Amino acid sequence: MKPNLYLSLPPNMCGSFAECVPELAARCFATFDPPGSQLGSGGGTAYLLEQAWRASGEAGFSRWLEDGTKLLIHSGGESRRLPAYAATGKLFMPVPALRWKYGQRLNQTLLDMQEPFLHRVFEKAGGCRIAVASGDVLLDGTVDGIPDADVVLLGMWTSPEQAAHFGVMFCDRTNPEQLVKFLQKPAPSRIRELSRDHLFLIDVGVWLLSERAVRCLLNRCGWDEVSQTFSGGLPSTYDLYGEWALHLGSQPETADAMISSLTVAVVPVKDGEFHHFGKSIDIIESSYALQNKVMDQTRLGAVPSLGQPRQFVLNSVFDARRSEANEQLWIENSCIAGNWKLERRHVITGVPENDWDIELTDGQCLDVVPLSRGESAIRFYGFDDAFRGPLGAEKTCWMGAPVACWFAQRGITLEEAGLAAEEDLQTARLFPNIGTAGADGEFIQWLLSGDSQNNGIFKVRWLQAERFSARELGQRADLPRLYAQRNRLTEKALPIMARHGASSLFYKLDISRTADWYARAGLPLVPEEGINWRGDRLLSVHDQIFRSTVLKARGELEQAEVCRQKAFSLLGKLLIEPLYAEPVVPACSVMEDQIVWARSPARIDIAGGWSDTPPYCLEHGGSVFNLAVNLNGQPPVQVFVRRTQDASLVVRSIDLGLKEELLTYEDVGGWRGIGSGFSIARAAFALVGFHPDFNGKRFQTLEEQLQSFGGGIEVSLLAAIPKGSGMGTSSILAGTLIGGLADFCGLGWDCMEIVRRVSALEQMLGSGGGWQDQYGGLMPGAKLIETLPGLRQNGIVRRAPGEFFNKALQEGKMLLYYTGITRVAHNLLGEIVRNMFLNHAGVLSLIGQIAENGRRAFEFAQRDDWRGFISVVRRSWDLNRALDDGTNPPEVQAVIDRIEGHYAALKLAGAGGGGYMLILAENRDRAVRIRQLLEENPLNSRARFVDLDLSKTGLQISRS
């Protein structure tokens, strides 16, 4: 379960929160520190907690604190070094869509990028009550586990020189998890001295606190438990990093009885990434580092190459010329007309449509800040300005030079401007209100450079204008207007991106959100013939799903369904058509009286299922861990193939008692459509060459081909597993049949080729589906199957030790129970595949976690770690339910309720909803009790336990 979200923001953003970001406002609480207060990070955390509690309506603070986990993010500073986003707070600065990442939004923010990592951390933190994070940092990486401690600090390894800019945690060399002491920005020499006896990591600004630690912090901020208030009404000024942290550890820098008694653990972030967004240069450098996180150019498709410079144009119309000389550009929410001239480094935001003739020199930055009543102000500053220091001090820089330079250039004194030399740059009223009509370019150029024949006119204009300080602009910016302009400019860009979909990021975005935006804005769909896919046909499938979603949102349901069907048809062709280029001509390879007998085990998926499903696996690769199992001592899927004298193909089903005879190519071609008689057998016959699509049209008729073959073929099918079992029966039956026919016809196909043909068969039938069922049943034992992105999904198979599972089976700790409930996953599959093609961010995130869980299953089996394996199965069940709320219907929950408190983990096979249930127990006694409870009180007349054993053979083929 995700933690509740609490944000500390600038006051202005809090006031416009619900209007600017309604989706976020509906799921979180936001407030701001009282104006004029200096609470510090500790006091600010205490205040945010108190305000959130009072807003909740909960009677007592203690009860509220105990109710769920809480994520606190601080982003309420004045943003002096990044003035462009002072009004909203750095959390809401836009972050560029990344060329390698799927499921993004064009209007994504730093908060959107932060949350996934913080949620992953919370998932590993059992005893944690709250997490405190900084709003100007983006973290990524993995955390193996979170120790049970009052304070858990996340850290990263670095050099003493880099560490000197951060809080530094010194840890015990023999027990790296144990904090010895915390120092705030120590000198490199001190770090090197302490590193002789200690390990050191930098604090990355994410702290996990237990309830005890929270109470300790509140105490230090003046909280009174009895009155449930702070002494004096507000928290005391208190700093987490420069004060509270110094008392932590086994040998704290300064001792404090209450704080130093807290247990503390340090957790390194593996493969950690730390991106800072505190200054103007940071947003460019951090964005550039993120953009180039993936260096493997084969994963980037046709989007801009790694040669793209540090130039970021977001939510903007940019008509000016750019070149390599523009080394560091950040253009956001702006219209840059064709006659603008830019140089090396600039940050430009908020500029409306204009025809200005503007020339910026290196390092000049420009913001147009919307105000109330439709007015706007011009803010101009230098790339490295810190907006700190007295106006009269020589070291105080504005526009990249001492403040006095700007005034002297224009012949203005501080006194004329009503400014005092001792006034802080942040509070100095420098930025003019240009009214509702907007500024002319010449006046803006004068503000930037001072060169104009109208210097006297502009000087008077500036002196007489209503002017604002940087602080006031943050407080008075009309944020709904700012967001509205950003949205309008983004809407202008959408059709352009769609038209160039093969070379833009358009089809890596969360297309579900983009389509909704597209429909609401009434944007025209780009004609299909106007798009050059550059050979990437998978993008055309994304495009059809996008069109379908837009049309559906507009109420054009019939045309929307046409596009949806076209998308799935295109996907099928991508996987089937390569086989047309590899025609096969079967030749009988058995004697007249021989029978080919093929049999396969069933498949139990442990973790990773769904990551094997196109298009996800085609674009991201898949990772699945599953077991091949015999049921009640036998491989449950069996196929018998024999010769006949008649020139026909005969199919019998032993379990269904049905028979069908195929006499023509048209009969064989009747595989299309789920529910058609013996559709699997028809498609299998076609794939082994008994259809002109797959035999290179070598024969005019099926009769002619069978005469050449030497007679007909009869296959008998047996699937001793109930329908809707979730055990991959259909795919395994298809693989077993293709394997038996391939042997009968002398095709010499190995398991990999059979798997490939089964994947094509499922597309032929329109059922879709991935590759894990056929890999799972045709290949023996316990295994991790992984594939790389690409249309040809050749699996890399890694075997897990069978002894691990055989031991669990012998001890009775692994049970297989048939619920007697059936469910066909086709409709569910179609919806999830559609969401995959839409790059639905939530679905892609879940499937990414599902794939990672597949790899974890393999690792725990390799380590002979039963408890770890239990955790994997438990997580599989949680993730499958999160992906599809139909996974666990009431009838299944009734089974679970009967054994509550006795099982360690369980999950339904396959997509869930019914079928077989895998149940794991801690020990034999618990397993015996589970069996007893379900046998004494079965859910229905079909429910039963089934014996299973790990298959050592997978697909077996033999001849009589």
Side-chain angles (χ1 to χ4, degrees):
M1 183 179 294
K2 291 181 178 179
N4 297 304
L5 181 62
Y6 304 92
L7 305 177
S8 178
L9 301 173
N12 192 5
M13 186 60 183
C14 282
S16 304
F17 196 49
E19 188 172 354
C20 292
V21 282
E23 286 185 29
L24 179 64
R27 68 176 178 89
C28 80
F29 172 82
T31 190
F32 55 91
D33 289 354
S37 65
Q38 297 292 326
L39 300 182
S41 54
T45 297
Y47 183 75
L48 179 54
L49 286 169
E50 185 228 10
Q51 291 296 296
W53 160 58
R54 295 196 187 283
S56 73
E58 183 73 54
F61 178 80
S62 295
R63 181 176 296 177
W64 174 81
L65 184 61
E66 294 168 1
D67 183 21
T69 54
K70 297 165 175 60
L71 171 59
L72 281 62
I73 305 180
H74 290 293
S75 187
E78 288 195 306
S79 192
R80 295 188 183 215
R81 290 181 173 273
L82 184 55
Y85 299 103
T88 60
K90 295 167 187 171
L91 266 183
F92 294 102
M93 72 175 72
V95 175
L98 306 174
R99 61 169 70 89
W100 50 268
K101 187 176 176 64
Y102 286 78
Q104 305 168 94
R105 303 198 326 256
L106 281 179
N107 58 349
Q108 66 192 11
T109 65
L110 183 57
L111 176 61
D112 296 321
M113 304 291 279
Q114 281 182 332
E115 277 198 275
F117 172 79
L118 296 172
H119 290 166
R120 293 199 303 271
V121 170
F122 249 119
E123 287 177 2
K124 305 285 181 70
C128 163
R129 184 59 56 201
I130 74 167
V132 183
S134 171
D136 63 357
V137 168
L138 177 60
L139 300 171
D140 202 2
T142 58
V143 175
D144 283 342
I146 304 294
D148 187 9
D150 291 318
V151 181
V152 178
L153 308 175
L154 300 191
M156 290 185 187
W157 308 105
T158 189
S159 67
E161 289 71 25
Q162 288 294 321
H165 302 289
F166 301 91
V168 183
M169 303 170 292
F170 295 92
C171 302
D172 189 302
R173 280 193 173 276
T174 58
N175 183 11
E177 187 181 285
Q178 181 181 333
L179 179 72
V180 176
K181 70 169 70 236
F182 185 106
L183 296 179
Q184 181 68 355
K185 298 183 180 179
S189 58
R190 181 85 195 276
I191 297 172
R192 280 191 285 269
E193 176 190 348
L194 288 170
S195 70
R196 296 189 183 101
D197 300 311
H198 305 88
L199 303 172
F200 70 92
L201 303 89
I202 59 168
D203 170 33
V204 296
V206 177
W207 290 29
L208 306 177
L209 306 180
S210 70
E211 187 176 334
R212 179 183 175 213
V214 173
R215 294 186 184 283
C216 173
L217 175 62
L218 289 170
N219 176 275
R220 286 297 178 264
C221 295
W223 178 255
D224 181 72
E225 282 281 356
V226 177
S227 65
Q228 305 253 304
T229 58
F230 292 104
S231 57
L234 289 176
S236 307
T237 301
Y238 197 70
D239 187 56
L240 271 178
Y241 312 104
E243 216 169 336
W244 203 61
L246 303 184
H247 304 310
L248 297 173
S250 59
Q251 299 172 28
E253 185 72 356
T254 57
D256 177 295
M258 177 183 285
I259 302 172
S260 301
S261 67
L262 297 172
T263 58
V264 187
V266 175
V267 175
V269 180
K270 283 188 175 181
D271 303 317
E273 296 177 34
F274 182 95
H275 303 287
H276 194 222
F277 288 80
K279 304 189 292 291
S280 293
I281 191 171
D282 291 339
I283 61 175
I284 297 174
E285 291 302 313
S286 292
S287 296
Y288 187 74
L290 287 167
Q291 191 71 275
N292 291 290
K293 177 179 176 179
V294 174
M295 302 300 289
D296 181 351
Q297 296 171 49
T298 64
R299 291 176 55 188
L300 302 180
V303 299
S305 70
L306 296 179
Q308 184 179 354
R310 290 170 168 81
Q311 299 175 1
F312 295 94
V313 179
L314 295 77
N315 317 308
S316 297
V317 173
F318 193 97
D319 294 328
R321 293 185 63 183
R322 277 187 283 170
S323 71
E324 292 286 342
N326 307 127
E327 291 181 8
Q328 293 174 323
L329 292 186
W330 182 270
I331 315 292
E332 195 272 317
N333 189 15
S334 293
C335 292
I336 307 301
N339 45 357
W340 282 53
K341 294 181 177 63
L342 305 180
E343 288 199 11
R344 199 163 64 92
R345 302 171 303 155
H346 306 289
V347 172
I348 303 172
T349 68
V351 178
E353 290 187 35
N354 64 87
D355 58 357
W356 304 336
D357 190 353
I358 298 291
E359 184 172 350
L360 283 80
T361 60
D362 179 32
Q364 290 187 332
C365 302
L366 182 68
D367 303 325
V368 177
V369 182
L371 303 172
S372 60
R373 304 187 304 274
E375 298 174 337
S376 299
I378 298 290
R379 174 168 51 206
F380 44 103
Y381 58 98
F383 193 81
D384 298 315
D385 287 358
F387 276 90
R388 189 177 301 278
L391 292 180
E394 190 173 338
K395 290 185 177 179
T396 302
C397 283
W398 177 44
M399 297 295 288
V403 174
C405 293
W406 189 89
F407 287 93
Q409 230 176 0
R410 290 155 185 81
I412 304 173
T413 66
L414 292 179
E415 290 74 21
E416 282 182 285
L419 302 170
E422 63 273 13
E423 186 169 5
D424 188 75
L425 181 60
Q426 179 73 357
T427 62
R429 289 177 169 163
L430 302 168
F431 307 114
N433 182 345
I434 58 174
T436 57
D440 59 82
E442 192 176 357
F443 177 58
I444 294 176
Q445 189 65 57
W446 177 82
L447 293 172
L448 292 168
S449 64
D451 298 328
S452 173
Q453 59 185 4
N454 295 318
N455 184 66
I457 297 172
F458 291 149
K459 172 182 173 180
V460 172
R461 182 172 172 181
W462 182 82
L463 286 169
Q464 293 182 351
E466 178 186 23
R467 287 177 275 122
F468 303 97
S469 68
R471 176 173 292 170
E472 288 172 326
L473 287 180
Q475 296 166 346
R476 299 184 59 169
D478 186 336
L479 297 181
R481 264 185 67 201
L482 184 149
Y483 271 76
Q485 176 174 300
R486 181 180 287 151
N487 288 340
R488 286 195 303 273
L489 291 173
T490 304
E491 286 169 9
K492 282 189 173 184
L494 285 173
I496 299 170
M497 292 183 70
R499 186 175 299 111
H500 300 284
S503 57
S504 77
L505 293 162
F506 190 82
Y507 291 107
K508 286 187 176 178
L509 299 173
D510 183 331
I511 302 172
S512 59
R513 285 180 173 270
T514 308
D516 180 60
W517 196 345
Y518 216 94
R520 282 188 285 107
L523 298 172
L525 288 168
V526 178
E528 291 182 48
E529 58 273 16
I531 303 175
N532 179 2
W533 296 115
R534 298 186 180 183
D536 191 342
R537 295 169 64 193
L538 199 54
L539 288 178
S540 65
V541 188
H542 282 292
D543 178 63
Q544 290 299 323
I545 290 290
F546 167 68
R547 293 173 187 276
S548 173
T549 308
V550 172
L551 292 166
K552 185 176 180 180
R554 292 178 180 170
E556 301 177 41
L557 302 184
E558 186 175 334
Q559 190 58 35
E561 179 59 19
V562 169
C563 291
R564 189 195 70 82
Q565 291 184 8
K566 186 175 179 181
F568 282 86
S569 175
L570 285 170
L571 174 61
K573 288 180 179 178
L574 285 175
L575 298 177
I576 298 167
E577 284 184 354
L579 300 180
Y580 297 161
E582 306 170 23
V584 292
V585 180
C588 186
S589 66
V590 298
M591 299 178 183
E592 289 184 9
D593 60 344
Q594 277 189 309
I595 295 176
V596 170
W597 178 27
R599 58 270 192 207
S600 297
R603 179 272 301 140
I604 298 179
D605 59 310
I606 300 298
W610 288 115
S611 73
D612 63 305
T613 306
Y616 185 89
C617 62
L618 306 182
E619 295 180 321
H620 307 275
S623 178
V624 179
F625 187 84
N626 62 30
L627 313 178
V629 295
N630 295 320
L631 304 182
N632 293 327
Q634 295 293 327
V637 178
Q638 305 200 17
V639 172
F640 303 88
V641 188
R642 73 179 189 91
R643 293 178 65 175
T644 64
Q645 296 301 315
D646 298 329
S648 65
L649 303 174
V650 179
V651 189
R652 298 178 185 272
S653 171
I654 297 173
D655 49 299
L656 298 178
L658 300 176
K659 173 187 173 183
E660 193 166 273
E661 189 173 16
L662 310 177
L663 300 173
T664 66
Y665 282 143
E666 288 73 21
D667 291 341
V668 176
W671 65 72
R672 296 173 181 86
I674 292 178
S676 63
F678 290 114
S679 56
I680 290 176
R682 294 169 188 260
F685 274 125
L687 285 164
V688 298
F690 290 103
H691 191 276
D693 284 353
F694 299 95
N695 64 24
K697 298 180 173 56
R698 291 281 296 275
F699 305 96
Q700 294 298 312
T701 65
L702 177 62
E703 181 179 13
E704 176 190 343
Q705 181 174 2
L706 290 176
Q707 287 174 349
S708 172
F709 185 78
I713 303 174
E714 179 181 280
V715 297
S716 299
L717 313 177
L718 172 63
I721 308 178
K723 185 178 180 181
S725 67
M727 302 280 274
T729 311
S730 296
S731 299
I732 296 172
L733 177 62
T736 309
L737 176 54
I738 290 174
L741 286 171
D743 181 80
F744 189 89
C745 298
L747 298 177
W749 290 345
D750 62 13
C751 195
M752 293 292 187
E753 184 60 28
I754 295 171
V755 166
R756 179 186 174 215
R757 301 268 166 173
V758 175
S759 295
L761 179 144
E762 291 182 331
Q763 296 297 329
M764 291 163 66
L765 269 54
S767 58
W771 41 250
Q772 80 131 324
D773 294 346
Q774 46 268 39
Y775 271 116
L778 303 184
M779 304 191 78
K783 57 214 171 279
L784 174 70
I785 311 111
E786 293 184 291
T787 61
L788 297 173
L791 288 178
R792 188 147 185 168
Q793 289 284 288
N794 292 328
I796 300 168
V797 182
R798 294 183 174 91
R799 309 291 177 143
E803 300 79 24
F804 175 76
F805 298 95
N806 290 331
K807 180 181 177 183
L809 290 167
Q810 289 164 8
E811 294 177 358
K813 297 188 297 186
M814 182 184 289
L815 304 172
L816 188 63
Y817 183 69
Y818 179 58
T819 63
I821 307 163
T822 60
R823 179 193 189 193
V824 178
H826 173 58
N827 292 335
L828 162 69
L829 175 65
E831 184 59 25
I832 291 181
V833 168
R834 177 177 172 274
N835 281 326
M836 289 176 184
F837 269 122
L838 285 170
N839 296 332
H840 188 290
V843 169
L844 293 187
S845 174
L846 282 170
I847 298 177
Q849 295 174 64
I850 285 170
E852 177 59 31
N853 202 40
R855 289 184 280 270
R856 290 179 67 242
F858 178 71
E859 290 172 7
F860 285 124
Q862 290 284 80
R863 296 177 191 166
D864 194 24
D865 184 344
W866 182 245
R867 286 186 178 275
F869 190 75
I870 284 172
S871 72
V872 164
V873 174
R874 191 181 296 132
R875 180 153 175 76
S876 280
W877 182 234
D878 290 342
L879 289 169
N880 285 355
R881 286 184 297 166
L883 188 63
D884 169 34
D885 57 12
T887 295
N888 186 27
E891 301 93 327
V892 170
Q893 187 59 46
V895 176
I896 297 172
D897 290 342
R898 291 177 192 183
I899 57 174
E900 190 64 48
H902 299 284
Y903 68 89
L906 56 76
K907 71 176 296 292
L908 290 171
Y916 282 87
M917 178 183 288
L918 178 69
I919 305 172
L920 306 184
E922 291 281 3
N923 52 53
R924 185 188 298 274
D925 291 342
R926 295 280 179 133
V928 169
R929 182 58 178 156
I930 291 168
R931 186 181 285 271
Q932 182 183 17
L933 287 168
L934 292 180
E935 287 180 338
E936 289 177 355
N937 188 18
L939 184 67
N940 52 58
S941 60
R942 299 175 301 281
R944 59 190 181 273
F945 282 96
V946 176
D947 291 338
L948 74 155
D949 62 271
L950 206 62
S951 170
K952 298 178 181 179
T953 59
L955 171 65
Q956 288 179 279
I957 300 176
S958 56
R959 300 183 180 191
S960 61

